[in-house]
Amino acid sequence: MLISAERFDNAPVMSLQTGSELARTSRAVIDPRNLSIVAYELEGPTLDQSPSLLRIADVREIGPLGLIIDSADELIMPSDVLKIKEVYEFQFALVGKRVIDEKNHKVGKVIGYTLEAGNFVIQQLRVRRPLLKSFGDTELLIHRSQIVRVTDEHIVVKTPEIRHKEPVVQPQPTFENPFRKAHPAAEADGSDSK
């Protein structure tokens, strides 16, 4: 199921152990190499360490109350897991990133994204079009299969191919209408009725 990433902005992180809110999400930690969220950075008055992260693997459930985990023991520092430390140090922000096509034409800026609820892989980018191109449509949805490359400065997507095909006009076959003949019976037997 696809979910808008905005649902996880400032989302509560709830503990099953205590039944209370432990913290709130402040930023998604996104791996730009595969466009997936590996953790959420947290903020809140009850946190013992800063920065505190919640690994996606430790989320038990996504519910109406927020992200539900077992206990505060699930919260980690970036240095606790080497892969997460590496991604955390990228400080990659997807929202606000410029989007261009392979021919270096400006497509727009990322204003949001949707992700797969089960694995937190980003599936679609919501892109706001530049002013001059926004008369027809102000936003685009770009699927992850259209993304060619992700860099620090921009996201490169496939250049759209516009194919203008002239319609092929097939010649209509001409059929002889047997009911239009003057005397079909007379022609058939070769006799003259006069």
Side-chain angles (χ1 to χ4, degrees), residues 1-182:
M1 175 171 64
L2 294 180
I3 298 177
S4 173
E6 294 165 352
R7 178 176 178 189
F8 301 108
D9 291 345
N10 199 30
V13 176
M14 305 296 290
S15 167
L16 277 177
Q17 184 181 36
T18 63
S20 63
E21 182 178 314
L22 297 173
R24 289 192 170 257
T25 59
S26 64
R27 170 179 91 82
V29 180
I30 300 172
D31 189 342
R33 298 169 295 193
N34 61 6
L35 283 181
S36 66
I37 298 174
V38 295
Y40 277 98
E41 189 169 354
L42 304 175
E43 58 185 20
T46 61
L47 295 175
D48 297 334
Q49 52 200 8
S50 182
S52 287
L53 301 178
L54 169 62
R55 293 181 333 132
I56 295 304
D58 293 328
V59 175
R60 285 187 63 130
E61 185 180 331
I62 302 167
L65 296 176
L67 299 170
I68 299 170
I69 62 173
D70 287 334
S71 68
D73 295 336
E74 307 293 336
L75 305 182
I76 63 169
M77 298 270 304
S79 58
D80 292 345
V81 179
L82 292 177
K83 180 185 175 189
I84 290 182
K85 179 182 184 224
E86 178 185 15
V87 175
Y88 182 80
E89 289 173 353
F90 290 153
Q91 294 291 314
F92 180 78
L94 188 56
V95 175
K97 192 75 64 187
R98 286 183 337 128
V99 179
I100 60 173
D101 66 15
E102 292 171 304
K103 294 181 180 176
N104 210 22
H105 296 123
K106 186 174 183 180
V107 176
K109 273 191 178 177
V110 177
I111 57 170
Y113 53 93
T114 58
L115 46 95
E116 186 71 38
N119 56 11
F120 282 75
V121 173
I122 297 167
Q123 295 294 323
Q124 298 173 330
L125 302 178
R126 280 184 37 232
V127 177
R128 173 157 292 135
R129 305 279 286 155
L131 181 63
L132 294 176
K133 293 182 181 179
S134 66
F135 292 116
D137 48 344
T138 57
E139 288 184 14
L140 295 174
L141 275 180
I142 297 176
H143 190 267
R144 71 180 286 116
S145 64
Q146 296 172 289
I147 298 172
V148 176
R149 186 173 54 256
V150 177
T151 69
D152 289 337
E153 294 82 35
H154 50 262
I155 296 171
V156 181
V157 297
K158 292 179 183 174
T159 303
E161 293 182 26
I162 301 172
R163 296 181 185 136
H164 292 287
K165 290 186 177 180
E166 295 296 323
V168 177
V169 179
Q170 298 287 339
Q172 294 294 327
T174 56
F175 296 105
E176 197 171 307
N177 187 346
F179 299 106
R180 292 253 169 157
K181 292 187 179 179

